[in-house]
Amino acid sequence: MARPRIIVTRKLPDSVEARLKSLFTVALNHSDKPFSRAKLTTAMARADGVLCTFGDKIDEDILAASGARKARIVANFGVGTNHIDLEAAEDLGVVVTNTPDVLTDATADLAMALILASTRRMYAHEARLRRGDWAGFDITSGLGCALRGKTLGVVGMGRIGTALAQRAHFGFGMKVVYFNRSKVLVPSIPEAEAAESIEALLAASDVVSLHVPGDAGNRHLISAARLALMKPNAHLVNTARGDVVDETALIEALQSGAIAGAGLDVFAQEPNVPEALRALDNVTLLPHIGSATLEARIAMGMRAVDNLVAFFAEKVPPHQVG
Ligand code: DGY
């Protein structure tokens, strides 16, 4: 029997590409240039499976490939699947898979790094030093705030939210409050408190970290009105999806000092980051690198391959989302 043909939309770690080649007939993306809509559509029409990632907007038209669709599985490299129209995939009978768990530590580590960067004003200090504006050690300027005894509010207490809360609580002595759409128990942090509402969490927290999926229901979850509930000395961290926050309202809050700072790894219109945001020195900006460790990226790739292997062996893929 001919090997299934897999089209891969982005460059993958070498070991993942080697495994794919050993199992399938594979078209790799050596240049790593993102696929156009036309190329994604052609991939759906020509491959048995497409291995894609965040940034590949797989909507209904692309999934259908103008009635010429051949692919039966879209194996996403990444846990978030908000760039794929899951309903359309289900209607068309296309299986969608993702790669959870293996990026939890990397993303939680990065969220913790952003908390430290924001509360210790690292960007402003480093920029000052690089500009040559550092006159030497001084005692009172640009002081940050300590984390011990402060409250971390986690919005979305899933795998990554919980892993961050563990780091902040056990490693840095923070109290933890959390809000989750559905009721969750957090046995690993017995002291963690569930907030009654997002509003209550925002008002109580010194640092708020977002860990909700980027689905339509979470668009602008952190709105202007909700940002206004945060303490003026609080910090907002987002490693989830950019459109979970009303970016314009966040810029205003940072400009006016309505909140003290932010650490952002994700943006509403990636890779475009508003100039007004880039001009601020009370925000740390990273280019969507939450899961960007070699270890996590290899494990994510292997998980995507595991999903393809199971699917073409006529088994239910271990991480099927739709
Ligand atoms: C994820 O896995 O969802 C990361 O944000 C990269 O897409």
Side-chain angles (χ1 to χ4, degrees):
M1 208 178 78
R3 291 167 150 208
R5 178 172 161 76
I6 308 299
I7 295 183
V8 182
T9 66
R10 298 298 298 269
K11 175 95 186 78
L12 298 172
D14 291 347
S15 53
V16 179
E17 292 189 342
R19 182 165 172 231
L20 271 170
K21 281 198 280 189
S22 75
L23 294 163
F24 303 105
T25 299
V26 191
L28 296 171
N29 180 354
H30 296 293
S31 72
D32 203 23
K33 196 167 162 237
F35 277 22
S36 62
R37 286 184 63 79
K39 218 166 159 190
L40 285 171
T41 309
T42 306
M44 287 303 293
R46 296 210 179 138
D48 298 298
V50 173
L51 197 161
C52 69
T53 193
F54 180 79
D56 297 325
K57 190 157 173 42
I58 314 272
D59 58 23
E60 189 174 358
D61 286 347
I62 286 172
L63 282 164
S66 308
R69 178 181 58 81
K70 181 174 177 214
R72 291 185 295 132
I73 176 167
V74 171
N76 184 55
F77 181 106
V79 66
T81 50
N82 59 308
H83 52 292
I84 303 171
D85 185 335
L86 295 181
E87 260 177 47
E90 191 176 345
D91 290 348
L92 291 162
V94 177
V95 165
V96 178
T97 61
N98 72 346
T99 63
D101 302 318
V102 288
L103 47 66
T104 298
D105 282 337
T107 310
D109 288 349
L110 195 87
M112 196 66 231
L114 283 172
I115 292 174
L116 288 163
S118 193
T119 55
R120 297 298 296 270
R121 310 192 58 198
M122 282 188 204
Y123 170 72
H125 286 302
E126 184 173 348
R128 175 166 70 99
L129 180 151
R130 286 178 188 263
R131 277 197 310 268
D133 285 348
W134 183 38
F137 178 80
D138 77 275
I139 294 178
T140 53
S141 53
L143 300 183
C145 76
L147 295 181
R148 183 165 300 281
K150 299 283 172 32
T151 298
L152 169 66
V154 179
V155 181
M157 200 63 163
R159 286 175 283 245
I160 298 171
T162 304
L164 170 68
Q166 288 166 344
R167 284 157 173 73
H169 181 67
F170 297 112
F172 293 86
M174 296 188 81
K175 295 179 200 147
V176 173
V177 295
Y178 62 92
F179 180 80
N180 202 66
R181 242 185 328 206
S182 55
K183 195 172 157 47
V184 286
L185 296 173
V186 189
S188 62
I189 316 172
E191 304 85 355
E193 284 175 27
E196 272 175 21
S197 59
I198 296 192
E199 285 75 13
L201 177 144
L202 292 169
S205 301
D206 300 295
V207 177
V208 175
S209 191
L210 307 175
H211 300 281
V212 293
D215 57 36
N218 285 332
R219 186 168 186 277
H220 290 190
L221 182 76
I222 305 301
S223 59
R226 285 185 168 149
L227 280 167
L229 298 172
M230 289 177 69
K231 299 179 188 178
N233 57 353
H235 297 257
L236 179 72
V237 166
N238 190 6
T239 53
R241 286 292 181 262
D243 63 0
V244 170
V245 179
D246 178 339
E247 209 167 64
T248 306
L250 175 62
I251 291 169
E252 279 166 19
L254 289 164
Q255 284 170 337
S256 68
I259 66 170
L264 307 176
D265 185 43
V266 287
F267 304 90
Q269 303 288 338
E270 294 178 21
N272 301 317
V273 178
E275 175 52 38
L277 204 48
R278 287 190 276 142
L280 289 167
D281 77 354
N282 56 349
V283 58
T284 298
L285 306 171
L286 297 177
H288 202 144
I289 56 163
S291 63
T293 65
L294 179 62
E295 292 83 351
R297 291 285 163 90
I298 289 174
M300 291 162 76
M302 293 304 180
R303 196 145 274 201
V305 180
D306 291 343
N307 285 323
L308 289 167
V309 168
F311 178 80
F312 288 108
E314 289 177 16
K315 297 189 187 135
V316 176
H319 301 289
Q320 180 166 339
V321 292

